[in-house]
Amino acid sequence: MLRHARRIWAVAAIHAEAARLSDAHDELAARLLPGDRLVYLGNMIGHGADTIATMDALLAFRRDFLCLPGAEPEDIVYLRGAQEEMWRKLLQIQFAPGPGEVFDWMLRHGLAPVLQAYGVDPQQGRGILREGALGISRWTNSLRAAIRKHPGHDDLFGSFRRAAYSGGNELLFVHAGIDPAVPLTAQADHLWWGSPAFRSLSQPYAGFRRVVSGGNPRGEGAHLDAFTCCLDGGAGFGGPLNVACFGLDGAIVESFAI
């Protein structure tokens, strides 16, 4: 919950475009006002090659944000997108039925550059996944150790949330969308992979004036409808990184693209 927010800034899917993120942080720093809150809408990593630089930039801006007068740690939120969810599942892959097939699917959907960034060879991983649960457990422990070599990364991975919302339930922030027919506590994979019904939302979902998402798995890009908004500008796939600031009435009061 984002308590006592006056405005809430939201950053769309980054896909490890560290240079765009750094430029967006520079612009954001010039626009932040007291009482502003900040949400990163998931898919901060994945597909792009600059995972380490992206994570470092997120941590550096967190430090700067918390230096603002009155800022508290809970005023900045990192949502778990499909890429972060895949990484979380990878660390538990020894429990998956057919771990090799699951791993190959993850590689096809953007995981390979993340592994390579942390010094892990995806092809070596394929071989280890044929060794059985004990060998896989040793390998996933080595993945955790690789993250811990980079100060703050493990803590940041551990801070990812499923959703964020304003204290008065005016605004809901998710990664890819929601199924309007399902309660928020039961959305499960809809949060990571979206729902075809998201854009057809014809009335406020669970009382929220607007539901804001940061990733569009269907490649439909950004949109602003009566009760929904998607900020995905295509960062990581040749498009810009979109950043928008929402008032508690659901309106966009400021925005920019890098």
PDB file of all heavy atoms in Angstrom, residues 8 10 25 37 42 70 73 93 97 102 104 111 116 131 135 145 163 166 174 187 191 198 203 217 237 239-240 253 257:
ATOM      1  N   ILE A   8       1.325   9.523  -7.903  1.00  0.00           N
ATOM      2  CA  ILE A   8       2.095   8.280  -8.013  1.00  0.00           C
ATOM      3  C   ILE A   8       2.700   8.189  -9.402  1.00  0.00           C
ATOM      4  O   ILE A   8       1.986   8.196 -10.411  1.00  0.00           O
ATOM      5  CB  ILE A   8       1.214   7.039  -7.728  1.00  0.00           C
ATOM      6  CG1 ILE A   8       0.599   7.133  -6.331  1.00  0.00           C
ATOM      7  CG2 ILE A   8       2.044   5.767  -7.866  1.00  0.00           C
ATOM      8  CD1 ILE A   8      -0.365   6.007  -5.995  1.00  0.00           C
ATOM      9  N   ALA A  10       4.728   6.080 -12.248  1.00  0.00           N
ATOM     10  CA  ALA A  10       4.830   4.682 -12.668  1.00  0.00           C
ATOM     11  C   ALA A  10       5.792   4.574 -13.846  1.00  0.00           C
ATOM     12  O   ALA A  10       5.723   5.377 -14.792  1.00  0.00           O
ATOM     13  CB  ALA A  10       3.461   4.138 -13.055  1.00  0.00           C
ATOM     14  N   HIS A  25      15.582   8.403 -15.098  1.00  0.00           N
ATOM     15  CA  HIS A  25      15.805   8.807 -13.707  1.00  0.00           C
ATOM     16  C   HIS A  25      16.216  10.276 -13.626  1.00  0.00           C
ATOM     17  O   HIS A  25      15.786  10.994 -12.715  1.00  0.00           O
ATOM     18  CB  HIS A  25      16.879   7.919 -13.079  1.00  0.00           C
ATOM     19  CG  HIS A  25      16.381   6.580 -12.662  1.00  0.00           C
ATOM     20  ND1 HIS A  25      17.221   5.492 -12.461  1.00  0.00           N
ATOM     21  CD2 HIS A  25      15.123   6.136 -12.395  1.00  0.00           C
ATOM     22  CE1 HIS A  25      16.497   4.462 -12.089  1.00  0.00           C
ATOM     23  NE2 HIS A  25      15.230   4.819 -12.037  1.00  0.00           N
ATOM     24  N   ARG A  37       4.921   9.273  -4.917  1.00  0.00           N
ATOM     25  CA  ARG A  37       5.316   7.889  -4.726  1.00  0.00           C
ATOM     26  C   ARG A  37       5.775   7.337  -6.075  1.00  0.00           C
ATOM     27  O   ARG A  37       5.490   7.908  -7.122  1.00  0.00           O
ATOM     28  CB  ARG A  37       4.145   7.053  -4.171  1.00  0.00           C
ATOM     29  CG  ARG A  37       3.528   7.624  -2.892  1.00  0.00           C
ATOM     30  CD  ARG A  37       4.495   7.549  -1.729  1.00  0.00           C
ATOM     31  NE  ARG A  37       3.906   7.995  -0.480  1.00  0.00           N
ATOM     32  CZ  ARG A  37       4.147   9.162   0.114  1.00  0.00           C
ATOM     33  NH1 ARG A  37       4.992  10.020  -0.459  1.00  0.00           N
ATOM     34  NH2 ARG A  37       3.574   9.485   1.250  1.00  0.00           N
ATOM     35  N   GLY A  42       7.421  -3.721 -13.239  1.00  0.00           N
ATOM     36  CA  GLY A  42       7.841  -5.069 -13.593  1.00  0.00           C
ATOM     37  C   GLY A  42       8.566  -5.148 -14.927  1.00  0.00           C
ATOM     38  O   GLY A  42       8.655  -4.180 -15.689  1.00  0.00           O
ATOM     39  N   GLY A  70      10.954  13.753   3.778  1.00  0.00           N
ATOM     40  CA  GLY A  70       9.768  12.983   4.130  1.00  0.00           C
ATOM     41  C   GLY A  70       9.653  11.625   3.481  1.00  0.00           C
ATOM     42  O   GLY A  70       8.712  10.873   3.778  1.00  0.00           O
ATOM     43  N   PRO A  73      10.938   4.245   3.009  1.00  0.00           N
ATOM     44  CA  PRO A  73      11.206   3.087   2.141  1.00  0.00           C
ATOM     45  C   PRO A  73       9.959   2.527   1.456  1.00  0.00           C
ATOM     46  O   PRO A  73      10.042   2.054   0.308  1.00  0.00           O
ATOM     47  CB  PRO A  73      11.818   2.060   3.103  1.00  0.00           C
ATOM     48  CG  PRO A  73      12.459   2.896   4.164  1.00  0.00           C
ATOM     49  CD  PRO A  73      11.553   4.077   4.346  1.00  0.00           C
ATOM     50  N   ILE A  93      13.328 -24.627  -9.755  1.00  0.00           N
ATOM     51  CA  ILE A  93      13.033 -25.450 -10.918  1.00  0.00           C
ATOM     52  C   ILE A  93      13.205 -26.942 -10.647  1.00  0.00           C
ATOM     53  O   ILE A  93      12.661 -27.783 -11.365  1.00  0.00           O
ATOM     54  CB  ILE A  93      13.886 -25.006 -12.121  1.00  0.00           C
ATOM     55  CG1 ILE A  93      13.262 -25.506 -13.435  1.00  0.00           C
ATOM     56  CG2 ILE A  93      15.341 -25.458 -11.972  1.00  0.00           C
ATOM     57  CD1 ILE A  93      13.858 -24.870 -14.678  1.00  0.00           C
ATOM     58  N   PRO A  97       7.779 -30.270 -12.899  1.00  0.00           N
ATOM     59  CA  PRO A  97       7.721 -31.448 -13.766  1.00  0.00           C
ATOM     60  C   PRO A  97       8.354 -31.103 -15.107  1.00  0.00           C
ATOM     61  O   PRO A  97       8.017 -30.097 -15.724  1.00  0.00           O
ATOM     62  CB  PRO A  97       6.214 -31.706 -13.906  1.00  0.00           C
ATOM     63  CG  PRO A  97       5.569 -30.391 -13.626  1.00  0.00           C
ATOM     64  CD  PRO A  97       6.459 -29.659 -12.680  1.00  0.00           C
ATOM     65  N   VAL A 102      10.774 -26.731 -19.099  1.00  0.00           N
ATOM     66  CA  VAL A 102      10.456 -25.446 -18.490  1.00  0.00           C
ATOM     67  C   VAL A 102      11.590 -24.454 -18.724  1.00  0.00           C
ATOM     68  O   VAL A 102      11.372 -23.283 -19.076  1.00  0.00           O
ATOM     69  CB  VAL A 102      10.191 -25.616 -16.978  1.00  0.00           C
ATOM     70  CG1 VAL A 102      10.043 -24.249 -16.294  1.00  0.00           C
ATOM     71  CG2 VAL A 102       8.945 -26.456 -16.743  1.00  0.00           C
ATOM     72  N   ASP A 104      13.878 -24.445 -21.142  1.00  0.00           N
ATOM     73  CA  ASP A 104      13.934 -24.040 -22.544  1.00  0.00           C
ATOM     74  C   ASP A 104      12.875 -22.982 -22.845  1.00  0.00           C
ATOM     75  O   ASP A 104      13.124 -22.023 -23.588  1.00  0.00           O
ATOM     76  CB  ASP A 104      13.740 -25.246 -23.467  1.00  0.00           C
ATOM     77  CG  ASP A 104      14.976 -26.120 -23.537  1.00  0.00           C
ATOM     78  OD1 ASP A 104      16.069 -25.642 -23.162  1.00  0.00           O
ATOM     79  OD2 ASP A 104      14.852 -27.294 -23.962  1.00  0.00           O
ATOM     80  N   LEU A 111      14.915 -15.098 -20.667  1.00  0.00           N
ATOM     81  CA  LEU A 111      15.739 -15.361 -19.493  1.00  0.00           C
ATOM     82  C   LEU A 111      17.233 -15.429 -19.799  1.00  0.00           C
ATOM     83  O   LEU A 111      18.062 -15.113 -18.937  1.00  0.00           O
ATOM     84  CB  LEU A 111      15.293 -16.668 -18.829  1.00  0.00           C
ATOM     85  CG  LEU A 111      16.000 -17.037 -17.524  1.00  0.00           C
ATOM     86  CD1 LEU A 111      15.629 -16.064 -16.416  1.00  0.00           C
ATOM     87  CD2 LEU A 111      15.654 -18.465 -17.107  1.00  0.00           C
ATOM     88  N   GLN A 116      23.258 -14.850 -18.430  1.00  0.00           N
ATOM     89  CA  GLN A 116      24.577 -14.471 -18.921  1.00  0.00           C
ATOM     90  C   GLN A 116      25.133 -13.275 -18.163  1.00  0.00           C
ATOM     91  O   GLN A 116      26.332 -13.198 -17.885  1.00  0.00           O
ATOM     92  CB  GLN A 116      24.489 -14.183 -20.416  1.00  0.00           C
ATOM     93  CG  GLN A 116      24.223 -15.431 -21.243  1.00  0.00           C
ATOM     94  CD  GLN A 116      23.738 -15.131 -22.650  1.00  0.00           C
ATOM     95  OE1 GLN A 116      23.331 -14.008 -22.959  1.00  0.00           O
ATOM     96  NE2 GLN A 116      23.770 -16.138 -23.517  1.00  0.00           N
ATOM     97  N   GLU A 131      20.627 -33.843 -14.596  1.00  0.00           N
ATOM     98  CA  GLU A 131      21.334 -34.592 -13.555  1.00  0.00           C
ATOM     99  C   GLU A 131      20.451 -35.044 -12.393  1.00  0.00           C
ATOM    100  O   GLU A 131      20.901 -35.793 -11.544  1.00  0.00           O
ATOM    101  CB  GLU A 131      22.469 -33.731 -13.001  1.00  0.00           C
ATOM    102  CG  GLU A 131      23.577 -33.444 -13.999  1.00  0.00           C
ATOM    103  CD  GLU A 131      24.699 -32.614 -13.409  1.00  0.00           C
ATOM    104  OE1 GLU A 131      24.632 -32.352 -12.180  1.00  0.00           O
ATOM    105  OE2 GLU A 131      25.621 -32.239 -14.141  1.00  0.00           O
ATOM    106  N   GLY A 135      21.592 -32.372  -8.229  1.00  0.00           N
ATOM    107  CA  GLY A 135      22.446 -31.541  -9.077  1.00  0.00           C
ATOM    108  C   GLY A 135      21.799 -30.203  -9.401  1.00  0.00           C
ATOM    109  O   GLY A 135      22.472 -29.169  -9.434  1.00  0.00           O
ATOM    110  N   ALA A 145      24.155 -17.481  -5.283  1.00  0.00           N
ATOM    111  CA  ALA A 145      25.477 -16.964  -4.943  1.00  0.00           C
ATOM    112  C   ALA A 145      25.939 -15.931  -5.974  1.00  0.00           C
ATOM    113  O   ALA A 145      26.581 -14.932  -5.623  1.00  0.00           O
ATOM    114  CB  ALA A 145      26.482 -18.110  -4.849  1.00  0.00           C
ATOM    115  N   ALA A 163       1.525  -6.502  -6.574  1.00  0.00           N
ATOM    116  CA  ALA A 163       0.715  -5.348  -6.973  1.00  0.00           C
ATOM    117  C   ALA A 163       0.933  -4.235  -5.961  1.00  0.00           C
ATOM    118  O   ALA A 163       1.469  -4.465  -4.870  1.00  0.00           O
ATOM    119  CB  ALA A 163      -0.767  -5.724  -7.037  1.00  0.00           C
ATOM    120  N   SER A 166      -2.955   2.628  -4.029  1.00  0.00           N
ATOM    121  CA  SER A 166      -2.962   3.827  -3.205  1.00  0.00           C
ATOM    122  C   SER A 166      -3.765   3.578  -1.936  1.00  0.00           C
ATOM    123  O   SER A 166      -4.650   2.709  -1.888  1.00  0.00           O
ATOM    124  CB  SER A 166      -3.543   5.006  -3.987  1.00  0.00           C
ATOM    125  OG  SER A 166      -4.845   4.706  -4.461  1.00  0.00           O
ATOM    126  N   VAL A 174      -0.309  -2.903 -11.525  1.00  0.00           N
ATOM    127  CA  VAL A 174       0.052  -4.297 -11.755  1.00  0.00           C
ATOM    128  C   VAL A 174       1.036  -4.350 -12.915  1.00  0.00           C
ATOM    129  O   VAL A 174       1.285  -3.347 -13.579  1.00  0.00           O
ATOM    130  CB  VAL A 174      -1.184  -5.160 -12.057  1.00  0.00           C
ATOM    131  CG1 VAL A 174      -2.139  -5.192 -10.870  1.00  0.00           C
ATOM    132  CG2 VAL A 174      -1.914  -4.657 -13.300  1.00  0.00           C
ATOM    133  N   GLN A 187      -5.600 -13.488  -8.715  1.00  0.00           N
ATOM    134  CA  GLN A 187      -5.232 -13.193 -10.100  1.00  0.00           C
ATOM    135  C   GLN A 187      -4.154 -14.124 -10.641  1.00  0.00           C
ATOM    136  O   GLN A 187      -4.135 -14.444 -11.828  1.00  0.00           O
ATOM    137  CB  GLN A 187      -4.769 -11.738 -10.217  1.00  0.00           C
ATOM    138  CG  GLN A 187      -5.889 -10.724 -10.103  1.00  0.00           C
ATOM    139  CD  GLN A 187      -6.822 -10.731 -11.300  1.00  0.00           C
ATOM    140  OE1 GLN A 187      -6.438 -11.079 -12.419  1.00  0.00           O
ATOM    141  NE2 GLN A 187      -8.067 -10.359 -11.072  1.00  0.00           N
ATOM    142  N   LEU A 191      -1.449 -11.581 -13.532  1.00  0.00           N
ATOM    143  CA  LEU A 191      -0.595 -10.442 -13.194  1.00  0.00           C
ATOM    144  C   LEU A 191       0.664 -10.413 -14.035  1.00  0.00           C
ATOM    145  O   LEU A 191       1.196  -9.339 -14.340  1.00  0.00           O
ATOM    146  CB  LEU A 191      -0.230 -10.485 -11.707  1.00  0.00           C
ATOM    147  CG  LEU A 191      -1.388 -10.322 -10.717  1.00  0.00           C
ATOM    148  CD1 LEU A 191      -0.898 -10.541  -9.298  1.00  0.00           C
ATOM    149  CD2 LEU A 191      -2.027  -8.944 -10.845  1.00  0.00           C
ATOM    150  N   PHE A 198      -8.737  -7.621 -20.018  1.00  0.00           N
ATOM    151  CA  PHE A 198      -8.283  -6.433 -19.301  1.00  0.00           C
ATOM    152  C   PHE A 198      -8.793  -5.149 -19.955  1.00  0.00           C
ATOM    153  O   PHE A 198      -9.349  -4.273 -19.292  1.00  0.00           O
ATOM    154  CB  PHE A 198      -6.754  -6.433 -19.223  1.00  0.00           C
ATOM    155  CG  PHE A 198      -6.160  -5.238 -18.519  1.00  0.00           C
ATOM    156  CD1 PHE A 198      -6.633  -4.837 -17.281  1.00  0.00           C
ATOM    157  CD2 PHE A 198      -5.130  -4.521 -19.096  1.00  0.00           C
ATOM    158  CE1 PHE A 198      -6.088  -3.747 -16.623  1.00  0.00           C
ATOM    159  CE2 PHE A 198      -4.566  -3.427 -18.444  1.00  0.00           C
ATOM    160  CZ  PHE A 198      -5.055  -3.037 -17.208  1.00  0.00           C
ATOM    161  N   GLN A 203     -16.191  -0.990 -16.045  1.00  0.00           N
ATOM    162  CA  GLN A 203     -16.535  -0.333 -14.787  1.00  0.00           C
ATOM    163  C   GLN A 203     -15.344  -0.465 -13.848  1.00  0.00           C
ATOM    164  O   GLN A 203     -14.438  -1.262 -14.108  1.00  0.00           O
ATOM    165  CB  GLN A 203     -17.771  -0.973 -14.163  1.00  0.00           C
ATOM    166  CG  GLN A 203     -17.614  -2.448 -13.858  1.00  0.00           C
ATOM    167  CD  GLN A 203     -18.907  -3.072 -13.360  1.00  0.00           C
ATOM    168  OE1 GLN A 203     -19.922  -2.407 -13.237  1.00  0.00           O
ATOM    169  NE2 GLN A 203     -18.862  -4.364 -13.076  1.00  0.00           N
ATOM    170  N   PRO A 217       2.084  -8.165 -22.858  1.00  0.00           N
ATOM    171  CA  PRO A 217       2.628  -9.376 -23.479  1.00  0.00           C
ATOM    172  C   PRO A 217       2.136  -9.611 -24.900  1.00  0.00           C
ATOM    173  O   PRO A 217       2.784 -10.330 -25.664  1.00  0.00           O
ATOM    174  CB  PRO A 217       2.159 -10.489 -22.537  1.00  0.00           C
ATOM    175  CG  PRO A 217       1.847  -9.817 -21.248  1.00  0.00           C
ATOM    176  CD  PRO A 217       1.361  -8.448 -21.607  1.00  0.00           C
ATOM    177  N   PHE A 237      12.552  -3.428 -27.112  1.00  0.00           N
ATOM    178  CA  PHE A 237      12.171  -3.934 -28.435  1.00  0.00           C
ATOM    179  C   PHE A 237      12.122  -2.797 -29.448  1.00  0.00           C
ATOM    180  O   PHE A 237      11.359  -2.839 -30.411  1.00  0.00           O
ATOM    181  CB  PHE A 237      10.818  -4.639 -28.358  1.00  0.00           C
ATOM    182  CG  PHE A 237      10.798  -5.823 -27.428  1.00  0.00           C
ATOM    183  CD1 PHE A 237      10.359  -5.678 -26.118  1.00  0.00           C
ATOM    184  CD2 PHE A 237      11.235  -7.062 -27.852  1.00  0.00           C
ATOM    185  CE1 PHE A 237      10.359  -6.755 -25.245  1.00  0.00           C
ATOM    186  CE2 PHE A 237      11.228  -8.145 -26.992  1.00  0.00           C
ATOM    187  CZ  PHE A 237      10.791  -7.997 -25.682  1.00  0.00           C
ATOM    188  N   GLY A 239      11.300   0.438 -28.779  1.00  0.00           N
ATOM    189  CA  GLY A 239      10.408   1.528 -28.417  1.00  0.00           C
ATOM    190  C   GLY A 239      10.917   2.301 -27.218  1.00  0.00           C
ATOM    191  O   GLY A 239      11.924   1.941 -26.600  1.00  0.00           O
ATOM    192  N   PRO A 240      10.219   3.366 -26.844  1.00  0.00           N
ATOM    193  CA  PRO A 240      10.662   4.199 -25.721  1.00  0.00           C
ATOM    194  C   PRO A 240      10.272   3.615 -24.375  1.00  0.00           C
ATOM    195  O   PRO A 240       9.412   2.722 -24.281  1.00  0.00           O
ATOM    196  CB  PRO A 240       9.921   5.514 -25.970  1.00  0.00           C
ATOM    197  CG  PRO A 240       8.649   5.092 -26.643  1.00  0.00           C
ATOM    198  CD  PRO A 240       9.040   3.924 -27.523  1.00  0.00           C
ATOM    199  N   VAL A 253      -1.209  13.282 -14.898  1.00  0.00           N
ATOM    200  CA  VAL A 253      -0.925  14.709 -14.690  1.00  0.00           C
ATOM    201  C   VAL A 253       0.422  15.114 -15.281  1.00  0.00           C
ATOM    202  O   VAL A 253       0.633  16.300 -15.561  1.00  0.00           O
ATOM    203  CB  VAL A 253      -0.990  15.073 -13.193  1.00  0.00           C
ATOM    204  CG1 VAL A 253      -2.401  14.886 -12.662  1.00  0.00           C
ATOM    205  CG2 VAL A 253      -0.024  14.235 -12.369  1.00  0.00           C
ATOM    206  N   ALA A 257       8.565  10.269 -22.265  1.00  0.00           N
ATOM    207  CA  ALA A 257       9.093   9.038 -22.874  1.00  0.00           C
ATOM    208  C   ALA A 257      10.557   9.271 -23.197  1.00  0.00           C
ATOM    209  O   ALA A 257      10.946  10.343 -23.666  1.00  0.00           O
ATOM    210  CB  ALA A 257       8.311   8.688 -24.121  1.00  0.00           C
TER     211      ALA A 257
END
